Structures are given as structure tokens and as C-alpha cells.
Amino acid sequence: MASKQQRLPRAVREQQVIDAAVRVFSRSGYHSASVDEIAEAAGVSKPMVYIYLGSKERLFTACIHREADRAVEAVRAALRSGEPPELGLWSGLREFFGYVAANRDAWRVLYQQARTQGEPFSQEVHAARCRVVDEITRLVVAGTALPEGGRIVGERDAEILARIAIGAADALTDWLLENPDETADSLVDRVLNLALVGVERYQTGDIAAPAPGTAP
Amino acid sequence: MASKQQRLPRAVREQQVIDAAVRVFSRSGYHSASVDEIAEAAGVSKPMVYIYLGSKERLFTACIHREADRAVEAVRAALRSGEPPELGLWSGLREFFGYVAANRDAWRVLYQQARTQGEPFSQEVHAARCRVVDEITRLVVAGTALPEGGRIVGERDAEILARIAIGAADALTDWLLENPDETADSLVDRVLNLALVGVERYQTGDIAAPAPGTAP
């Protein structure tokens, strides 16, 4: 009779190996981490790791993919919660930063480390980022369509809005990792307050906006 | 008597070699570019290139540094123009995108290509980016201080504002490179219009902002 371990479906087993790999890479960094360590952390034999996921390089790539999927899913869930899109955007940021704050180590290795590692990892991170950009853009384009037809902002402007949100989220993620005393909520509240200060100062005439199209 | 060529100060000559290197790297990419090509483009001998700037690797690094200096200088000039800081921020974005749009090829090689090239270039790009971040942060912190003492927003919030501006500029630079029919001015006008649409819809109650600190 097969042991309990053997009866687990391969997909489940693979996810366990990836979970273990994320932990080990996060702790040791890509170069120092060994497949032995990962096999031990996953509770499987080293040959099994190779059968499931190939080389250490392919294992790292699988980690990048899986974590990118999770980050996208966190944002997507927030954006399809049925809130109005502008509230959904804030919920999306909160979910995303919550994901990062809960996975600071994984984020450091899988994003910051991988993107500067050279090929093929920087390419993988770039591809994962493009997937996130496309997904968020799709959601923002859909979210700025009016129910009666027509759009709040044009499609190209919706793209720009999505890029601003993603670029800001990117930069603020680095800031969050540099400031371990901040949480996802404290960060989002700061950003929200800044937006409200901006609106208020514009209303009272304390700040001005240049008129569009007035560039020299 | 020294020839005209020899009488040029070394610093000027170095800048000429770097100018030529930026052109050659932009055209051929880092791997395909040769020091022979760069020497010819600069009008100096190949040994002179090595004497001035060392290896092809060090030459590429010098290009990254120089272009980062120029990008910082473009933004700094706009921000110290004596405009109120919030208008200065828009001028800064316009200057920066103008710089990128006028140097699309250089930007692709020196920023996009270098950051995914692995060590030591990704480290150089990261260091250059940190210099830009520090510089912009310093300017935003200074620009949000009130003349009578006190501050419009706290220092940490000013840091966040700087990061948002930089992250957005980063992401929009990629978008600008993907959309060659857009100019720096058309992009900044789009962003400005989006901000004004946001303020207007907030004023009319068409969009709501969540109250800060209301996270679950």
C-alpha cells in the first residue's frame, strides 16, 4: 500500500516544494541556498525536487512565478470586491502592501534580489511585472467605464492611471521594506492623507495646478 | 608644439569619449559595442580610451553615472526655478520626461538594459537611482516646509510624496518609450488632466475617498 506521502497529488507536492524553496531562498539568498536544504525543508528527497522542478535555477524561477501569481491575486480580489473602482484602488493598494509586509523576506529575495541577478531571472521578474501591469491596466480600464456607456477617462488615460498606481506601489514597497516600523495600513493612511491634503489645498487656493497645454 | 588635440584638458576629452560611448552603446547595445567603434566615434585612439576610462565595463559605468547626473540636473534646475513647489514638481516632471524623450535610445540602453544586465551594472543603476531618490526627497522635504516654520506635511510624508513622484515617473517613462507618438508635454498634460478630473469628481461627490484609519 502506498505511503501517505506518495498519495499526495503531484501538484500539491510541487506547491510544498515551492513553499519550502521560498523560505530557504529568503533566508539564505539564491547563491547560498542549496537544493539539499530545500528538499529537507519540504520533507522530500533531493531527487524528488529535481524530478518535480528541475534545477535550482528552475526552482527559483518557479518561486518568482508563484509569488507574482499571489501578488496579482491579492490585488485582483480587492478590485473585484464590488466597491466603486476608486475605493477598490485603495483596497487594492492595502491588499498589495499587506501581502508585501507579511512576506518581507520573500519579497526581498524574489523581487529585489532576482531583478538585479542578471539573466534569466531579471527577465523572469520583468515578465512577471508585465503580467501585473497588464492585469491592473485591464481592471482600471474596465473600472473607468460608465455603466450607461462612455468613459470617465479615455482608455489611454486609464493606462496612465494604472501605470502611476503601479509605479507608486513599486516605489512605496521599497520604502516599506526600509521602514520596518510601518505597516500596510499606516502606509496607505499616509498616502490617503496626502491625497486629501492635496485636494484641500487646491480647494482653498493654497496650491495651484498649471493649466494643461501651457508648456513652453 | 602640442597639436590642437593634445591641448584639450583631459576632463573635456573624457566627456567626448563618454558622449561617443553613449551613442555607440545606444546604437549597438552593450555586448555588441566595441571599444574600437567608440574610439573612432570619439576621434581618439583606442589606447587613449583605455588610458582615460579603462575597460569597456568601466566605460559603460561612466555612461550610467553621467546620464544619471544629467537626469538629476534636469530635475534640479526645474525645481529651483523659484516656482511654488507644487508647480515646480510639474516642471520637474516635464523636464525629466523631456530629457527621456530626447534621449530615448540612451535611456533604453543605459537604464532598461543596464538594470537587467546583472552585476556590476544593475548595482550601478541601483546606486544612481538611489542618488536621484535622495536628491528629489531632499527637494520635496525642503519644498513642503512653510516659510514661517512648520511644515505642510511631515518629513516622513514628504519622503512618501517624493517616492510616489519617482515611482510614477519611472513607470511613465516605460510607457513613454512604448508610445513613440507621445511627447513629454502630451504625457504631462494627460497626468495633469487626470489629477484635475480626480479633484473635480471628489468635489462633486462622484468619487469618494475612504476615511484614513478605517482599515479592518
Side-chain angles (χ1 to χ4, degrees), chain A:
Chain A
M1 192 178 149
S3 76
K4 191 176 167 200
Q5 179 162 334
Q6 286 170 323
R7 271 187 280 117
L8 282 175
R10 176 171 173 153
V12 173
R13 182 70 64 191
E14 276 184 8
Q15 289 304 310
Q16 287 179 349
V17 173
I18 293 174
D19 283 337
V22 168
R23 287 198 304 277
V24 172
F25 285 133
S26 300
R27 202 170 56 213
S28 311
Y30 174 68
H31 288 296
S32 307
S34 72
V35 174
D36 278 311
E37 241 178 308
I38 293 167
E40 198 191 320
V44 300
S45 67
K46 188 170 165 179
M48 272 316 217
V49 172
Y50 283 113
I51 289 168
Y52 285 143
L53 288 146
S55 59
K56 181 168 113 174
E57 185 180 305
R58 287 186 48 203
L59 197 47
F60 194 55
T61 301
C63 291
I64 295 171
H65 284 176
R66 218 275 305 275
E67 295 303 303
D69 285 343
R70 288 196 175 170
V72 172
E73 193 39 53
V75 175
R76 199 186 278 161
L79 291 180
R80 81 174 157 234
S81 65
E83 289 176 301
E86 72 276 8
L87 294 180
L89 200 61
W90 291 105
S91 307
L93 282 176
R94 222 178 269 278
E95 282 302 316
F96 175 74
F97 291 129
Y99 172 82
V100 172
N103 298 277
R104 285 175 205 251
D105 289 341
W107 193 265
R108 274 199 194 90
V109 173
L110 294 171
Y111 186 66
Q112 295 191 323
Q113 194 172 321
R115 77 179 153 179
T116 59
Q117 201 76 250
E119 299 309 339
F121 302 129
S122 53
Q123 200 48 50
E124 291 290 343
V125 174
H126 182 69
R129 194 174 187 285
C130 287
R131 271 199 304 139
V132 177
V133 169
D134 288 347
E135 176 70 21
I136 306 285
T137 303
R138 214 180 49 72
L139 288 164
V140 173
V141 170
T144 47
L146 291 165
E148 63 271 26
R151 307 187 45 77
I152 298 170
V153 296
E155 281 206 25
R156 207 168 242 209
D157 290 326
E159 271 180 37
I160 288 182
L161 206 53
R163 296 293 183 101
I164 291 174
I166 293 160
D170 235 3
L172 292 176
T173 297
D174 290 342
W175 188 86
L176 188 60
L177 293 173
E178 289 163 31
N179 291 277
D181 58 323
E182 298 277 342
T183 65
D185 284 335
S186 69
L187 173 57
V188 174
D189 284 346
R190 283 177 186 279
V191 176
L192 194 49
N193 273 315
L194 281 169
L196 296 178
V197 166
V199 169
E200 194 186 309
R201 287 180 67 84
Y202 182 78
Q203 284 170 338
T204 58
D206 282 332
I207 63 172
T214 56

Side-chain angles (χ1 to χ4, degrees), chain B residues 156-206:
Chain B
R156 207 168 243 210
D157 289 326
E159 272 179 40
I160 287 182
L161 205 53
R163 296 293 183 100
I164 291 173
I166 294 161
D170 237 3
L172 293 176
T173 297
D174 290 342
W175 187 86
L176 188 60
L177 293 173
E178 290 163 30
N179 292 277
D181 58 323
E182 298 276 341
T183 64
D185 284 335
S186 69
L187 172 57
V188 174
D189 284 346
R190 283 177 186 280
V191 175
L192 195 49
N193 273 317
L194 282 169
L196 296 178
V197 166
V199 168
E200 193 187 308
R201 289 181 66 84
Y202 182 79
Q203 284 170 339
T204 57
D206 281 332

Side-chain angles (χ1 to χ4, degrees), chain B:
Chain B
M1 194 178 148
S3 76
K4 191 179 167 200
Q5 179 162 334
Q6 285 171 323
R7 271 187 280 118
L8 281 176
R10 175 170 176 158
V12 173
R13 182 70 65 190
E14 277 184 9
Q15 289 305 310
Q16 287 179 349
V17 173
I18 293 173
D19 284 337
V22 168
R23 287 199 305 275
V24 172
F25 285 133
S26 300
R27 202 173 53 214
S28 313
Y30 174 68
H31 287 295
S32 308
S34 72
V35 174
D36 278 312
E37 240 178 310
I38 294 167
E40 198 191 321
V44 301
S45 67
K46 188 169 165 181
M48 272 316 215
V49 172
Y50 283 113
I51 289 168
Y52 285 143
L53 288 146
S55 58
K56 180 168 116 174
E57 184 179 308
R58 287 185 50 202
L59 198 48
F60 194 55
T61 302
C63 292
I64 297 171
H65 283 177
R66 217 277 304 276
E67 295 303 302
D69 284 343
R70 288 195 175 170
V72 172
E73 192 41 51
V75 175
R76 201 187 278 160
L79 291 180
R80 79 175 159 231
S81 64
E83 290 176 301
E86 72 277 7
L87 294 181
L89 199 61
W90 291 105
S91 307
L93 283 176
R94 222 178 268 279
E95 283 299 318
F96 175 73
F97 291 129
Y99 172 82
V100 172
N103 297 276
R104 284 176 206 249
D105 290 340
W107 193 263
R108 274 200 196 90
V109 172
L110 294 171
Y111 186 65
Q112 294 191 325
Q113 194 174 321
R115 76 180 155 181
T116 59
Q117 199 75 253
E119 299 308 340
F121 302 128
S122 54
Q123 199 49 50
E124 291 288 343
V125 174
H126 182 70
R129 193 173 189 286
C130 287
R131 270 199 306 137
V132 178
V133 169
D134 287 348
E135 177 70 21
I136 307 286
T137 303
R138 213 179 50 72
L139 288 163
V140 173
V141 169
T144 46
L146 292 165
E148 63 270 25
R151 306 187 46 77
I152 297 169
V153 297
E155 283 206 23
R156 207 168 243 210
D157 289 326
E159 272 179 40
I160 287 182
L161 205 53
R163 296 293 183 100
I164 291 173
I166 294 161
D170 237 3
L172 293 176
T173 297
D174 290 342
W175 187 86
L176 188 60
L177 293 173
E178 290 163 30
N179 292 277
D181 58 323
E182 298 276 341
T183 64
D185 284 335
S186 69
L187 172 57
V188 174
D189 284 346
R190 283 177 186 280
V191 175
L192 195 49
N193 273 317
L194 282 169
L196 296 178
V197 166
V199 168
E200 193 187 308
R201 289 181 66 84
Y202 182 79
Q203 284 170 339
T204 57
D206 281 332
I207 62 171
T214 54

